[in-house]
Amino acid sequence: MGPRTGPGPAAPPAGLLEVFRRLDTGPRGLTEAQAAERLTRFGENTVPDTRDLSWPRLFVRSVRDPFTAVLLCLGLVSAAVFAWGTASVILLLVVVSCVLRASGEHRAARSTAGLRRLVATTVTVQRRVYEDAAPVTREIPVEELVLGDVVRLGPGDLIPADVRLLRSTGLTVHQAALTGESTPVDKSAVEAPGDDGVFQDPRLCFQGGSVASGSATAVVTATGGDTRFAAAHRRTGKPPATTFERSVQGVSWILIRFALLTPPLVLMANAALRGRGLETLPFAVAVAVGLTPEMLPVLVTTCLARGAALLARTHGVIVRRLPALHDIGAMDVLCVDKTGTLTQDRPVVHRALDTEGHDDPEVLRWAAAAAWWSLQLADLPAPDALDEALLAAADEDALTSYDGITARPFDPARRLATVIVRTPGRLGTHTQITKGAVEAVLQRCALPDDERSRLRGLADAQAADGLRVLAVAATERPAGDRPQERGLTFRGLVTLRDDLAPTAAEALAGLAARGVNVKVLTGDHPGTAVRACRDLGVPVAGVLSADRLDTLTDPELTELARRTTVFARCTPEHKTRIARALQAGGHTVGFLGDGVNDLPALRTADVGIAPRDAAGVTRENADLVLAGKDLTAIGHAVAAGRHAGGNIATYLRITLSSNLGNVIAMLSAGLLLPFLPMLPAQVLVQNLCFDAAQLAFAHDRPAPSAVRRPSVLDPRALLRFIVGFGALNAVADLATFGALAFALRGPGDDEALFHSGWFTENLLTQAVVMVLLSFGRGGRGGRGGKGGRRPGPVTWSAAGLAGIGLLLPASPLGSALGLSPLPGVYYGLLAAVLALYAVGLTAARTRHERVSSATVAQS
């Protein structure tokens, strides 16, 4: 007998006995054999849409890409007018693009899945080795959970499947992913259900939720695609596009519109000026194909996948969502907590001061002796954090020079700890040492009111500087007296600060150098956070406390958040609101969090970051998972994101400007010449060669300047670049037209020679553009041995492209394409054109870099 199939989202709540009977299980859980059989029969506990797609499915999905769809439409148009050569080359472009994209996405998916397994979420399950054995609890991957399993849940755990509670203690659950409720919902195994719907049934918990507090034992009632979370996931579809995806889509649709408009424009212009008819349609289609960067999806996937794999291999950073790598490269604001990120979760002694505020090591000796003998005589299991800091700061002689007699340990009501020790060299006299809160110690000291006020002011000044303050008092007592906490002599103060994270200062400096502003969102006192920032060398532009934040409207907070460094006394709701305000101000926001209370802000930010030891639900919702809560790793992730983003932007700049220049020149020449400047097949082969060469950008290494600022893909700035450099490229192409006219003594004498000359020139100018406009070190050479320079992947690729342009016209394949060998005089003229073009391109690039630098400096 096995569980009845179909216990999915539509199954109504039932009594426990009915649930056990339906699932063929019991409160002791399944046997290992039963669990293995059910895993085979029902499959893994994963949402169907999150499973990795096979290579054939990825190939089919690639065909649905907008660029590929445009190419297919253009190919069909060519076939409709029997331009079989044009249609065949377009089909080859489509197949090559889809194969490369599907292969890249398949490799990326396998790599990402492997990385996800490194931080895989587990669940505590109760199973038996055989039928009559006692149940044993153990951790298993969530994917191996099956119907009828009995699981145990605790704070921070994800709800691994739809479950029915068996026992619970103080259980509250976040289920915002299903219901939108922002506050945790009370759940209970014994409470009767109401009439408010299945999600309000207190006995049921659902996959996609998480435990906010309490604990429970539950039986699994639905897994995988049968859960209510899977049903909701199918209804809601894909998550909203990220900033990067929206930018790429915006650029893509602009290009698609141009590509679709090009054929009718070419047809109309040729019909009006040259009296040509449909015979120019294959040429118009080829020109439209030349405008389309069909390798963009391939290059984007390759760049991001390589960056993610490198991060995981070298720095232990797991990228759970590939576009997030570009987003962290575009990040210009990082929100962090103080404790555990900037500081370690322990205090250290800062100074020991006498009653005048001067350094006095004797005060530290008394405080450390009080901490040591409180620990020894009161039989405490371990020192608290403050006592541990005192013991670590004092030398060993300070502890061994006294002999403890008796102790009264710290009491939250008294806010004091007192010990009596033998005074070295003084028989019959003991020393009583009292330490604790400043106000509590001052009240027990024999002091005039004005002196007490002065000492209180001294302590307040230290506290205002972000320090914790302990007061120390002592007095002589006759041997045998019990501790009496009155009539004491005030000895001084011990100040403590948070211990700084060892790598925080260097990491913060690195982030600042890369244009990332760090905002501290903490629940601590503002002075403590400001002190930590100052110790780490972080300039504090402004401080905003929660009480002030609550009085601000959203527009006011947006303006104030931009110039505020420390946000103190923050609740989870405050953190979420601050992240939204920063986004409203035009910033790309990253958020580093590790607790369940950080989840709302983590989801709101453009990039959610969590350490590997974060709460399970927080880690599962993060875009990046760090090996530890270390800002240095974030700096490496930012660099990797900017490398990938820089390569993608370089590809777009070079490809689109070259394509636009070629299209403008080709359309102009087509209207001036009595024949087509290039045959459709020649245009398409040239485009295929250029596409293949540009895949080298995925392996380029951007220049250091590209890593120093956020890699934001701005469609308007990209369009300005394309138009400016595209026009320069068109001028070079039209200059070649003049060189051809001179070399061939009239362009109408030999169409094949004209086609060959323009084919060669186009590939050579594109090779020059690849080298001179590549903003990376790979394009212009990397470091070789002994300080020399060695070519990078872009240089080698450009050289190969130039070689094809020079050799193909004279080859048998060139003859098949309608090309022919060129006269020697043409090569001399072409060299002059290319030299002038390189000079102009270099000057334009220098001006562009100067303007870009000035814009960045102003912003």
Side-chain angles (χ1 to χ4, degrees):
M1 178 178 177
R4 297 179 187 176
T5 58
L16 273 180
L17 290 178
E18 183 181 341
V19 171
F20 286 147
R21 190 179 303 114
R22 176 161 54 89
L23 299 173
D24 190 22
T25 187
R28 297 195 305 158
L30 302 173
T31 65
E32 294 290 352
Q34 288 174 321
E37 186 272 332
R38 295 184 186 192
L39 184 62
T40 302
R41 191 184 348 157
F42 297 112
E44 291 188 341
N45 176 37
T46 56
V47 177
D49 287 352
T50 64
R51 294 170 186 164
D52 294 333
L53 296 177
S54 63
W55 192 93
R57 287 191 176 187
L58 289 171
F59 182 86
V60 172
R61 192 173 72 175
S62 300
V63 175
R64 298 201 303 265
D65 178 78
F67 287 132
T68 306
V70 169
L71 290 179
L72 282 175
C73 290
L74 295 174
L76 291 174
V77 170
S78 300
V81 296
F82 306 107
W84 300 114
T86 303
S88 299
V89 177
I90 291 176
L91 179 62
L92 177 62
L93 281 170
V94 169
V95 171
V96 169
S97 174
C98 290
V99 166
L100 289 174
R101 181 176 183 183
S103 300
E105 289 186 348
H106 191 246
R107 283 194 303 270
R110 284 189 302 174
S111 175
T112 305
L115 299 178
R116 281 199 302 264
R117 284 193 290 271
L118 296 177
V119 290
T121 301
T122 60
V123 60
T124 303
V125 69
Q126 183 175 295
R127 286 181 180 171
R128 295 167 289 153
V129 179
Y130 50 87
E131 187 66 36
D132 297 326
V136 177
T137 59
R138 67 185 183 92
E139 296 282 325
I140 65 169
V142 167
E143 292 80 7
E144 296 179 10
L145 203 63
V146 296
L147 294 173
D149 262 327
V150 173
V151 297
R152 294 186 177 181
L153 303 172
D157 287 346
L158 288 167
I159 308 296
D162 289 357
V163 299
R164 166 67 154 84
L165 297 178
L166 304 180
R167 295 179 297 278
S168 64
T169 303
L171 184 67
T172 63
V173 172
H174 288 288
Q175 52 186 34
L178 293 162
T179 66
E181 297 170 282
S182 60
T183 57
V185 178
D186 292 328
K187 296 289 182 177
S188 172
V190 297
E191 189 174 337
D195 299 326
D196 298 330
V198 67
F199 289 117
Q200 304 307 321
D201 189 330
R203 304 169 302 173
L204 302 179
C205 298
F206 303 95
Q207 185 183 42
S210 61
V211 178
S213 62
S215 60
T217 302
V219 61
V220 175
T221 59
T223 60
D226 292 327
T227 63
R228 290 186 178 270
F229 179 77
H233 189 75
R234 286 191 291 270
R235 288 195 300 270
T236 56
K238 296 193 299 182
T242 65
T243 303
F244 170 64
E245 290 167 332
R246 288 194 299 271
S247 298
V248 172
Q249 289 167 5
V251 172
S252 299
W253 283 110
I254 291 173
L255 296 173
I256 287 169
R257 293 187 187 100
F258 275 118
L260 293 176
L261 285 173
T262 298
L265 289 176
V266 172
L267 285 174
M268 288 188 292
N270 277 275
L273 300 177
R274 286 290 179 179
R276 297 169 184 156
L278 286 178
E279 68 271 15
T280 61
L281 181 59
F283 173 72
V285 168
V287 171
V289 171
L291 192 60
T292 307
E294 58 274 2
M295 291 299 169
L296 177 60
V298 179
L299 190 118
V300 168
T301 301
T302 304
C303 284
L304 297 179
R306 289 186 74 250
L310 182 65
L311 266 181
R313 186 170 61 249
T314 57
H315 303 295
V317 178
I318 310 302
V319 180
R320 296 178 55 84
R321 184 178 58 83
L322 278 183
L325 185 62
H326 180 276
D327 291 341
I328 198 170
M331 178 182 72
D332 60 344
V333 172
L334 174 63
C335 299
V336 301
D337 193 3
K338 176 184 69 68
T339 305
T341 305
L342 305 182
T343 64
Q344 301 185 74
D345 196 13
R346 65 170 185 266
V348 294
V349 171
H350 178 59
R351 295 175 69 189
L353 306 174
D354 63 15
T355 58
E356 298 300 323
H358 303 136
D359 290 324
D360 186 353
E362 191 66 22
V363 176
L364 177 60
R365 289 169 60 91
W366 276 322
W372 174 256
W373 288 112
S374 292
L375 180 67
Q376 301 299 318
L377 300 175
D379 198 23
L380 299 176
D384 65 15
L386 296 180
D387 283 351
E388 192 170 6
L390 293 171
L391 296 174
D395 56 53
E396 192 172 343
D397 293 341
L399 307 179
T400 58
S401 60
Y402 296 100
D403 189 9
I405 304 298
T406 186
R408 289 183 67 187
F410 181 82
D411 180 349
R414 292 168 33 249
R415 297 188 299 160
L416 298 171
T418 295
V419 299
I420 293 181
V421 296
R422 289 190 179 90
T423 306
R426 298 184 62 184
L427 296 177
T429 302
H430 293 164
T431 300
Q432 175 180 310
I433 307 171
T434 299
K435 67 175 179 63
V438 174
E439 192 60 39
V441 172
L442 285 174
Q443 289 175 357
R444 289 160 173 81
C445 291
L447 293 169
D449 289 343
D450 57 345
E451 180 66 7
R452 184 177 285 109
S453 297
R454 187 186 70 80
L455 292 171
R456 187 182 294 115
L458 178 63
D460 289 345
Q462 300 299 315
D465 201 27
L467 299 169
R468 303 185 196 184
V469 184
L470 284 177
V472 181
T475 189
E476 302 294 325
R477 299 286 187 195
D481 273 13
R482 297 176 61 82
Q484 298 180 24
E485 294 172 339
R486 62 178 183 271
L488 307 178
T489 302
F490 192 86
R491 297 296 186 181
L493 304 171
V494 177
T495 61
L496 303 99
R497 59 171 174 80
D498 289 326
D499 192 14
L500 303 178
T503 60
E506 180 183 355
L508 288 169
L511 289 171
R514 293 186 172 107
V516 178
N517 293 316
V518 174
K519 310 283 187 182
V520 181
L521 281 57
T522 179
D524 284 349
H525 187 278
T528 306
V530 170
R531 176 80 200 197
C533 291
R534 190 167 66 245
D535 289 345
L536 290 167
V538 177
V540 177
V543 181
L544 185 63
S545 292
D547 53 355
R548 166 78 172 123
L549 191 153
D550 289 333
T551 66
L552 299 174
T553 64
D554 288 344
E556 289 172 340
L557 179 59
T558 298
E559 175 60 27
L560 195 56
R562 180 179 59 82
R563 56 178 190 269
T564 300
T565 303
V566 173
F567 300 84
R569 303 296 193 194
C570 288
T571 64
E573 292 76 17
H574 290 135
K575 293 179 181 180
T576 303
R577 193 177 170 212
I578 292 165
R580 288 198 182 110
L582 290 166
Q583 289 172 324
H587 297 286
T588 302
V589 180
F591 185 91
L592 173 62
D594 59 356
V596 176
N597 61 334
D598 292 322
L599 190 56
L602 193 89
R603 285 172 168 167
T604 300
D606 297 289
V607 187
I609 309 167
R612 193 173 297 186
D613 58 357
V617 63
T618 305
R619 190 175 64 243
E620 284 297 308
N621 282 274
D623 299 311
L624 275 74
V625 178
L626 312 179
K629 203 171 181 182
D630 183 4
L631 291 177
T632 303
I634 297 180
H636 294 309
V638 168
R642 292 182 183 178
H643 284 169
N647 287 341
I648 293 169
T650 300
Y651 166 81
L652 285 171
R653 283 193 296 261
I654 291 177
T655 300
L656 299 181
S657 61
S658 294
N659 288 357
L660 180 63
N662 289 340
V663 167
I664 292 172
M666 211 167 293
L667 293 178
S668 302
L671 298 176
L672 296 173
L673 294 172
F675 54 84
L676 295 177
M678 286 179 67
L679 298 179
Q682 295 167 355
V683 175
L684 295 172
V685 169
Q686 169 190 283
N687 193 54
L688 180 62
C689 294
F690 192 33
D691 285 339
Q694 287 179 350
L695 291 177
F697 286 119
H699 304 273
D700 193 16
R701 184 173 179 83
S705 59
V707 184
R708 287 197 291 267
R709 57 181 183 267
S711 57
V712 179
L713 186 59
D714 183 357
R716 291 185 179 180
L718 180 61
L719 188 60
R720 288 195 298 269
F721 185 97
I722 293 168
V723 172
F725 283 85
L728 186 61
N729 185 282
V731 170
D733 286 347
L734 292 174
T736 305
F737 175 80
L740 283 167
F742 179 81
L744 304 178
R745 298 299 187 271
D749 292 347
D750 193 336
E751 291 184 24
L753 283 176
F754 191 93
H755 294 159
S756 302
W758 206 322
F759 181 90
T760 297
E761 185 270 345
N762 277 336
L763 290 187
L764 288 177
T765 54
Q766 287 175 340
V768 170
V769 168
M770 285 181 65
V771 174
L772 293 185
L773 286 192
S774 173
F775 286 75
R777 290 180 288 185
R780 289 166 288 153
R783 283 289 176 189
K786 298 182 180 180
R789 308 289 289 182
R790 57 181 175 80
V794 174
T795 303
W796 285 116
S797 184
L801 187 65
I804 292 173
L806 292 171
L807 300 177
L808 185 62
S811 70
L813 181 58
S815 178
L817 289 173
L819 302 174
S820 61
L822 290 160
V825 65
Y826 170 71
Y827 290 106
L829 293 172
L830 179 59
V833 170
L834 290 176
L836 291 173
Y837 178 52
V839 171
L841 203 60
T842 302
R845 171 187 166 139
T846 302
R847 182 179 181 280
H848 171 79
E849 290 178 336
R850 187 165 55 247
V851 171
S852 297
S853 299
T855 303
V856 171
Q858 289 175 0
S859 62

